[in-house]
Amino acid sequence: MNRWRIMPRSGAAFRLRKGEYLEVVDPDGGQVSDLLAYNATDVREALSNGRTFDYEETIRLSTDNCLWSNRSNRMLTIVEDTVGSHDFLLTPCSEDTFRHFYPDKPVHRGCFGNLAQALAPFGVEPDMIPCAFNVFMNVPVDAATGKIEVLPPTSKAGDRIRMRAEMDLVIGLTACSAYASNGGTFKPIDYRILTESLDQA
């Protein structure tokens, strides 16, 4: 079992083999993590929010839901979730995001830039970055108007989500950089990879 820390406003990319478990942990509470997944043998196959919403028939994804690819294949299955509030509607924050929403703040490359840099060695180009599965992000949707709002995460210190890989994957993961997403603060994100045998122990 290995455990790593993603420092505030940064990102990482790594391989996850079929049958392994990825656990994303909010060590301090109130921090979002943008997650991307690609088929390790062909990175043109990537995580798709549209396919996922279609096949899972919900935008509120939690335990026992799958995350699907643009080719209609299962990529990840959520097997444990202590929060139950995640976003799959909004794109990773970027320099343009900061110019649009935070004109009085310094421009930051955001999760998009961090993901692009981390995923480049795996052959993923910036235009291949889709909407991320925004772990712990709190984006309620008004049922009457459809309006969305970004609120501080409800995750507490030690909260986690665990997912099983349904194919060999390349994963991109961040500690999100946007002010509103994280309640105005920036904290680390931890993750660990577990084998099936360790998970069952």
PDB file of all heavy atoms in Angstrom, residues 4-5 7 27 29 31 41 49 63 75 84 90 97 99 106 158 162 177 179 185 195 197 200:
ATOM      1  N   TRP A   4       0.384   8.993  -1.044  1.00  0.00           N
ATOM      2  CA  TRP A   4       1.050  10.187  -1.523  1.00  0.00           C
ATOM      3  C   TRP A   4       0.235  11.416  -1.143  1.00  0.00           C
ATOM      4  O   TRP A   4      -0.970  11.327  -0.909  1.00  0.00           O
ATOM      5  CB  TRP A   4       1.210  10.152  -3.043  1.00  0.00           C
ATOM      6  CG  TRP A   4       2.144   9.094  -3.528  1.00  0.00           C
ATOM      7  CD1 TRP A   4       3.490   9.188  -3.739  1.00  0.00           C
ATOM      8  CD2 TRP A   4       1.786   7.755  -3.902  1.00  0.00           C
ATOM      9  NE1 TRP A   4       3.985   8.002  -4.208  1.00  0.00           N
ATOM     10  CE2 TRP A   4       2.968   7.103  -4.305  1.00  0.00           C
ATOM     11  CE3 TRP A   4       0.581   7.045  -3.919  1.00  0.00           C
ATOM     12  CZ2 TRP A   4       2.985   5.782  -4.737  1.00  0.00           C
ATOM     13  CZ3 TRP A   4       0.584   5.724  -4.331  1.00  0.00           C
ATOM     14  CH2 TRP A   4       1.776   5.115  -4.740  1.00  0.00           C
ATOM     15  N   ARG A   5       0.887  12.575  -1.147  1.00  0.00           N
ATOM     16  CA  ARG A   5       0.227  13.849  -0.873  1.00  0.00           C
ATOM     17  C   ARG A   5       0.399  14.776  -2.068  1.00  0.00           C
ATOM     18  O   ARG A   5       1.512  14.949  -2.592  1.00  0.00           O
ATOM     19  CB  ARG A   5       0.790  14.499   0.387  1.00  0.00           C
ATOM     20  CG  ARG A   5       0.317  15.940   0.614  1.00  0.00           C
ATOM     21  CD  ARG A   5       0.362  16.344   2.065  1.00  0.00           C
ATOM     22  NE  ARG A   5      -0.641  15.591   2.850  1.00  0.00           N
ATOM     23  CZ  ARG A   5      -0.911  15.844   4.134  1.00  0.00           C
ATOM     24  NH1 ARG A   5      -0.259  16.797   4.774  1.00  0.00           N
ATOM     25  NH2 ARG A   5      -1.830  15.144   4.768  1.00  0.00           N
ATOM     26  N   MET A   7       0.249  18.566  -2.940  1.00  0.00           N
ATOM     27  CA  MET A   7       0.305  19.823  -2.212  1.00  0.00           C
ATOM     28  C   MET A   7      -0.735  20.809  -2.756  1.00  0.00           C
ATOM     29  O   MET A   7      -1.217  20.660  -3.885  1.00  0.00           O
ATOM     30  CB  MET A   7       1.711  20.422  -2.291  1.00  0.00           C
ATOM     31  CG  MET A   7       2.779  19.531  -1.662  1.00  0.00           C
ATOM     32  SD  MET A   7       2.371  18.990   0.026  1.00  0.00           S
ATOM     33  CE  MET A   7       2.453  20.569   0.889  1.00  0.00           C
ATOM     34  N   PRO A  27      -7.414  15.343   3.789  1.00  0.00           N
ATOM     35  CA  PRO A  27      -6.789  15.208   5.109  1.00  0.00           C
ATOM     36  C   PRO A  27      -7.195  16.286   6.112  1.00  0.00           C
ATOM     37  O   PRO A  27      -7.223  16.024   7.311  1.00  0.00           O
ATOM     38  CB  PRO A  27      -5.288  15.270   4.802  1.00  0.00           C
ATOM     39  CG  PRO A  27      -5.192  16.022   3.525  1.00  0.00           C
ATOM     40  CD  PRO A  27      -6.420  15.655   2.747  1.00  0.00           C
ATOM     41  N   GLY A  29      -9.992  18.586   5.469  1.00  0.00           N
ATOM     42  CA  GLY A  29     -11.384  18.976   5.307  1.00  0.00           C
ATOM     43  C   GLY A  29     -11.550  20.200   4.427  1.00  0.00           C
ATOM     44  O   GLY A  29     -10.697  21.083   4.401  1.00  0.00           O
ATOM     45  N   GLN A  31     -11.616  20.534   1.030  1.00  0.00           N
ATOM     46  CA  GLN A  31     -10.751  20.668  -0.144  1.00  0.00           C
ATOM     47  C   GLN A  31     -11.253  19.776  -1.279  1.00  0.00           C
ATOM     48  O   GLN A  31     -11.554  18.604  -1.071  1.00  0.00           O
ATOM     49  CB  GLN A  31      -9.310  20.293   0.190  1.00  0.00           C
ATOM     50  CG  GLN A  31      -8.350  20.307  -0.994  1.00  0.00           C
ATOM     51  CD  GLN A  31      -8.190  21.670  -1.626  1.00  0.00           C
ATOM     52  OE1 GLN A  31      -8.064  22.668  -0.923  1.00  0.00           O
ATOM     53  NE2 GLN A  31      -8.177  21.727  -2.956  1.00  0.00           N
ATOM     54  N   THR A  41      -3.991   2.168 -22.400  1.00  0.00           N
ATOM     55  CA  THR A  41      -3.497   1.674 -23.687  1.00  0.00           C
ATOM     56  C   THR A  41      -3.905   2.568 -24.852  1.00  0.00           C
ATOM     57  O   THR A  41      -3.377   2.416 -25.957  1.00  0.00           O
ATOM     58  CB  THR A  41      -3.996   0.242 -23.950  1.00  0.00           C
ATOM     59  OG1 THR A  41      -5.428   0.233 -24.011  1.00  0.00           O
ATOM     60  CG2 THR A  41      -3.532  -0.694 -22.839  1.00  0.00           C
ATOM     61  N   ASN A  49     -18.473  12.765 -18.529  1.00  0.00           N
ATOM     62  CA  ASN A  49     -19.602  13.051 -17.646  1.00  0.00           C
ATOM     63  C   ASN A  49     -20.927  12.750 -18.344  1.00  0.00           C
ATOM     64  O   ASN A  49     -21.866  12.243 -17.718  1.00  0.00           O
ATOM     65  CB  ASN A  49     -19.553  14.484 -17.122  1.00  0.00           C
ATOM     66  CG  ASN A  49     -19.637  15.546 -18.200  1.00  0.00           C
ATOM     67  OD1 ASN A  49     -19.397  15.285 -19.381  1.00  0.00           O
ATOM     68  ND2 ASN A  49     -19.951  16.762 -17.799  1.00  0.00           N
ATOM     69  N   THR A  63     -21.588   5.801  -3.787  1.00  0.00           N
ATOM     70  CA  THR A  63     -21.288   4.372  -3.677  1.00  0.00           C
ATOM     71  C   THR A  63     -22.148   3.544  -4.636  1.00  0.00           C
ATOM     72  O   THR A  63     -23.360   3.744  -4.737  1.00  0.00           O
ATOM     73  CB  THR A  63     -21.514   3.899  -2.232  1.00  0.00           C
ATOM     74  OG1 THR A  63     -20.738   4.718  -1.357  1.00  0.00           O
ATOM     75  CG2 THR A  63     -21.096   2.449  -2.058  1.00  0.00           C
ATOM     76  N   MET A  75     -15.000   2.728 -16.323  1.00  0.00           N
ATOM     77  CA  MET A  75     -13.626   3.043 -15.971  1.00  0.00           C
ATOM     78  C   MET A  75     -13.364   2.857 -14.482  1.00  0.00           C
ATOM     79  O   MET A  75     -12.364   2.270 -14.078  1.00  0.00           O
ATOM     80  CB  MET A  75     -13.274   4.473 -16.382  1.00  0.00           C
ATOM     81  CG  MET A  75     -13.480   4.765 -17.847  1.00  0.00           C
ATOM     82  SD  MET A  75     -12.761   6.343 -18.380  1.00  0.00           S
ATOM     83  CE  MET A  75     -11.109   5.792 -18.847  1.00  0.00           C
ATOM     84  N   GLY A  84     -20.498  11.768  -0.186  1.00  0.00           N
ATOM     85  CA  GLY A  84     -21.708  11.688  -0.992  1.00  0.00           C
ATOM     86  C   GLY A  84     -22.040  12.946  -1.754  1.00  0.00           C
ATOM     87  O   GLY A  84     -23.123  13.071  -2.324  1.00  0.00           O
ATOM     88  N   LEU A  90     -18.859  20.704 -13.841  1.00  0.00           N
ATOM     89  CA  LEU A  90     -17.994  21.845 -14.115  1.00  0.00           C
ATOM     90  C   LEU A  90     -16.612  21.411 -14.581  1.00  0.00           C
ATOM     91  O   LEU A  90     -16.044  20.435 -14.095  1.00  0.00           O
ATOM     92  CB  LEU A  90     -17.873  22.725 -12.868  1.00  0.00           C
ATOM     93  CG  LEU A  90     -19.202  23.284 -12.344  1.00  0.00           C
ATOM     94  CD1 LEU A  90     -18.951  24.196 -11.156  1.00  0.00           C
ATOM     95  CD2 LEU A  90     -19.955  24.020 -13.433  1.00  0.00           C
ATOM     96  N   THR A  97     -10.644  30.768 -16.145  1.00  0.00           N
ATOM     97  CA  THR A  97     -11.565  30.760 -15.002  1.00  0.00           C
ATOM     98  C   THR A  97     -11.240  31.890 -14.037  1.00  0.00           C
ATOM     99  O   THR A  97     -12.135  32.607 -13.559  1.00  0.00           O
ATOM    100  CB  THR A  97     -11.485  29.420 -14.252  1.00  0.00           C
ATOM    101  OG1 THR A  97     -11.745  28.344 -15.150  1.00  0.00           O
ATOM    102  CG2 THR A  97     -12.480  29.379 -13.100  1.00  0.00           C
ATOM    103  N   ARG A  99      -9.579  34.673 -14.648  1.00  0.00           N
ATOM    104  CA  ARG A  99      -9.867  35.975 -15.252  1.00  0.00           C
ATOM    105  C   ARG A  99     -11.367  36.276 -15.213  1.00  0.00           C
ATOM    106  O   ARG A  99     -11.783  37.424 -15.029  1.00  0.00           O
ATOM    107  CB  ARG A  99      -9.365  36.006 -16.695  1.00  0.00           C
ATOM    108  CG  ARG A  99      -7.841  35.932 -16.822  1.00  0.00           C
ATOM    109  CD  ARG A  99      -7.403  36.164 -18.254  1.00  0.00           C
ATOM    110  NE  ARG A  99      -5.975  35.986 -18.402  1.00  0.00           N
ATOM    111  CZ  ARG A  99      -5.395  34.878 -18.872  1.00  0.00           C
ATOM    112  NH1 ARG A  99      -6.147  33.855 -19.271  1.00  0.00           N
ATOM    113  NH2 ARG A  99      -4.087  34.784 -18.958  1.00  0.00           N
ATOM    114  N   PRO A 106      -4.751  37.145  -8.319  1.00  0.00           N
ATOM    115  CA  PRO A 106      -3.707  36.766  -9.275  1.00  0.00           C
ATOM    116  C   PRO A 106      -4.175  35.601 -10.158  1.00  0.00           C
ATOM    117  O   PRO A 106      -4.856  34.688  -9.681  1.00  0.00           O
ATOM    118  CB  PRO A 106      -2.543  36.330  -8.381  1.00  0.00           C
ATOM    119  CG  PRO A 106      -2.805  36.971  -7.061  1.00  0.00           C
ATOM    120  CD  PRO A 106      -4.301  37.042  -6.918  1.00  0.00           C
ATOM    121  N   GLY A 158     -10.251  13.722   6.953  1.00  0.00           N
ATOM    122  CA  GLY A 158     -10.249  12.266   6.901  1.00  0.00           C
ATOM    123  C   GLY A 158     -11.304  11.668   6.005  1.00  0.00           C
ATOM    124  O   GLY A 158     -11.297  10.441   5.772  1.00  0.00           O
ATOM    125  N   ARG A 162     -13.388   5.883  -2.320  1.00  0.00           N
ATOM    126  CA  ARG A 162     -12.571   4.784  -2.841  1.00  0.00           C
ATOM    127  C   ARG A 162     -13.210   4.244  -4.102  1.00  0.00           C
ATOM    128  O   ARG A 162     -14.414   3.997  -4.141  1.00  0.00           O
ATOM    129  CB  ARG A 162     -12.429   3.666  -1.808  1.00  0.00           C
ATOM    130  CG  ARG A 162     -11.484   2.549  -2.258  1.00  0.00           C
ATOM    131  CD  ARG A 162     -11.378   1.442  -1.231  1.00  0.00           C
ATOM    132  NE  ARG A 162     -10.751   1.912  -0.007  1.00  0.00           N
ATOM    133  CZ  ARG A 162     -10.520   1.123   1.048  1.00  0.00           C
ATOM    134  NH1 ARG A 162     -10.880  -0.150   1.014  1.00  0.00           N
ATOM    135  NH2 ARG A 162      -9.921   1.609   2.120  1.00  0.00           N
ATOM    136  N   SER A 177      -7.496  24.524  -7.149  1.00  0.00           N
ATOM    137  CA  SER A 177      -6.900  25.849  -7.004  1.00  0.00           C
ATOM    138  C   SER A 177      -7.907  26.989  -6.941  1.00  0.00           C
ATOM    139  O   SER A 177      -7.510  28.141  -6.757  1.00  0.00           O
ATOM    140  CB  SER A 177      -5.971  26.106  -8.195  1.00  0.00           C
ATOM    141  OG  SER A 177      -5.006  25.093  -8.330  1.00  0.00           O
ATOM    142  N   TYR A 179     -10.887  29.482  -5.657  1.00  0.00           N
ATOM    143  CA  TYR A 179     -11.299  30.012  -4.361  1.00  0.00           C
ATOM    144  C   TYR A 179     -12.664  29.487  -3.943  1.00  0.00           C
ATOM    145  O   TYR A 179     -12.825  28.948  -2.836  1.00  0.00           O
ATOM    146  CB  TYR A 179     -11.322  31.543  -4.396  1.00  0.00           C
ATOM    147  CG  TYR A 179      -9.962  32.171  -4.564  1.00  0.00           C
ATOM    148  CD1 TYR A 179      -9.449  32.452  -5.830  1.00  0.00           C
ATOM    149  CD2 TYR A 179      -9.180  32.488  -3.456  1.00  0.00           C
ATOM    150  CE1 TYR A 179      -8.196  33.034  -5.985  1.00  0.00           C
ATOM    151  CE2 TYR A 179      -7.935  33.070  -3.602  1.00  0.00           C
ATOM    152  CZ  TYR A 179      -7.440  33.335  -4.875  1.00  0.00           C
ATOM    153  OH  TYR A 179      -6.202  33.898  -5.017  1.00  0.00           O
ATOM    154  N   THR A 185      -9.990  28.660   0.848  1.00  0.00           N
ATOM    155  CA  THR A 185      -8.703  28.180   1.350  1.00  0.00           C
ATOM    156  C   THR A 185      -8.149  27.115   0.418  1.00  0.00           C
ATOM    157  O   THR A 185      -8.879  26.552  -0.402  1.00  0.00           O
ATOM    158  CB  THR A 185      -8.835  27.580   2.760  1.00  0.00           C
ATOM    159  OG1 THR A 185      -9.670  26.412   2.695  1.00  0.00           O
ATOM    160  CG2 THR A 185      -9.446  28.588   3.732  1.00  0.00           C
ATOM    161  N   THR A 195      -4.160  -2.768  -3.460  1.00  0.00           N
ATOM    162  CA  THR A 195      -4.437  -3.949  -4.280  1.00  0.00           C
ATOM    163  C   THR A 195      -5.701  -4.608  -3.784  1.00  0.00           C
ATOM    164  O   THR A 195      -6.177  -4.356  -2.677  1.00  0.00           O
ATOM    165  CB  THR A 195      -3.278  -4.945  -4.212  1.00  0.00           C
ATOM    166  OG1 THR A 195      -3.196  -5.472  -2.886  1.00  0.00           O
ATOM    167  CG2 THR A 195      -1.949  -4.265  -4.575  1.00  0.00           C
ATOM    168  N   SER A 197      -6.122  -7.622  -2.785  1.00  0.00           N
ATOM    169  CA  SER A 197      -5.897  -8.453  -1.595  1.00  0.00           C
ATOM    170  C   SER A 197      -5.842  -7.590  -0.336  1.00  0.00           C
ATOM    171  O   SER A 197      -6.378  -7.961   0.713  1.00  0.00           O
ATOM    172  CB  SER A 197      -4.591  -9.253  -1.715  1.00  0.00           C
ATOM    173  OG  SER A 197      -3.484  -8.391  -1.883  1.00  0.00           O
ATOM    174  N   GLN A 200      -9.346  -6.462   0.695  1.00  0.00           N
ATOM    175  CA  GLN A 200     -10.186  -7.495   1.291  1.00  0.00           C
ATOM    176  C   GLN A 200      -9.675  -7.940   2.645  1.00  0.00           C
ATOM    177  O   GLN A 200     -10.354  -8.677   3.360  1.00  0.00           O
ATOM    178  CB  GLN A 200     -10.253  -8.705   0.341  1.00  0.00           C
ATOM    179  CG  GLN A 200     -10.982  -8.387  -0.957  1.00  0.00           C
ATOM    180  CD  GLN A 200     -10.957  -9.574  -1.912  1.00  0.00           C
ATOM    181  OE1 GLN A 200     -10.161 -10.486  -1.775  1.00  0.00           O
ATOM    182  NE2 GLN A 200     -11.839  -9.527  -2.909  1.00  0.00           N
TER     183      GLN A 200
END
